[in-house]
Amino acid sequence: MNLTLTMDEIVNAICLNMAMRRQVQPSEIEVELCWDEEHGFSAQVWVQGRHQYIVESNMLEALEQYVYNNHGQRVFRSQIQLQVNDEDMWADVQLN
């Protein structure tokens, strides 16, 4: 069984994860998803006026937590595949 997470769900997962880490409200976080051939998947994150980049492993960690908290399924990074095409990004999650 598979679960597909939309680009909005990926952004929400990162917002929730960063809010927990920084002890702020998720609404105080802005996320822009990125992909390029040289660096792969990443995201630009703004928290309380501070900017940082997170790499794919951080994104996968956020998605692990999101799937557990919102779908009740424990998954590991190896079960999550980020995908991209010209206009969209999504995550395919293999459920047990």
Side-chain angles (χ1 to χ4, degrees):
M1 186 168 159
N2 287 334
L3 172 67
T4 300
L5 300 176
T6 65
M7 188 160 47
D8 287 341
E9 289 176 296
I10 296 170
V11 169
N12 287 343
I14 294 169
C15 284
L16 291 168
N17 180 269
M18 294 301 292
M20 181 188 68
R21 289 176 173 269
R22 303 284 188 228
Q23 298 181 353
V24 298
Q25 294 299 312
S27 59
E28 296 180 55
I29 298 172
E30 293 181 44
V31 175
E32 182 178 321
L33 301 176
C34 309
W35 183 86
D36 66 48
E37 290 199 26
E38 185 178 336
H39 298 104
F41 292 96
S42 62
Q44 294 183 63
V45 180
W46 291 266
V47 181
Q48 297 179 322
R50 298 186 72 187
H51 175 259
Q52 76 180 78
Y53 282 93
I54 62 171
V55 295
E56 183 174 351
S57 62
N58 300 115
M59 295 171 69
L60 295 175
E61 176 187 349
L63 289 169
E64 286 175 13
Q65 292 175 354
Y66 181 83
V67 170
Y68 181 73
N69 291 329
N70 292 282
H71 296 279
Q73 295 284 325
R74 179 76 174 120
V75 296
F76 299 95
R77 291 176 198 182
S78 61
Q79 296 171 264
I80 303 170
Q81 294 294 314
L82 293 170
Q83 307 286 337
V84 67
N85 66 20
D86 292 338
E87 300 174 12
D88 198 15
M89 186 182 296
W90 67 95
D92 289 324
V93 183
Q94 182 183 5
L95 301 176
N96 296 329

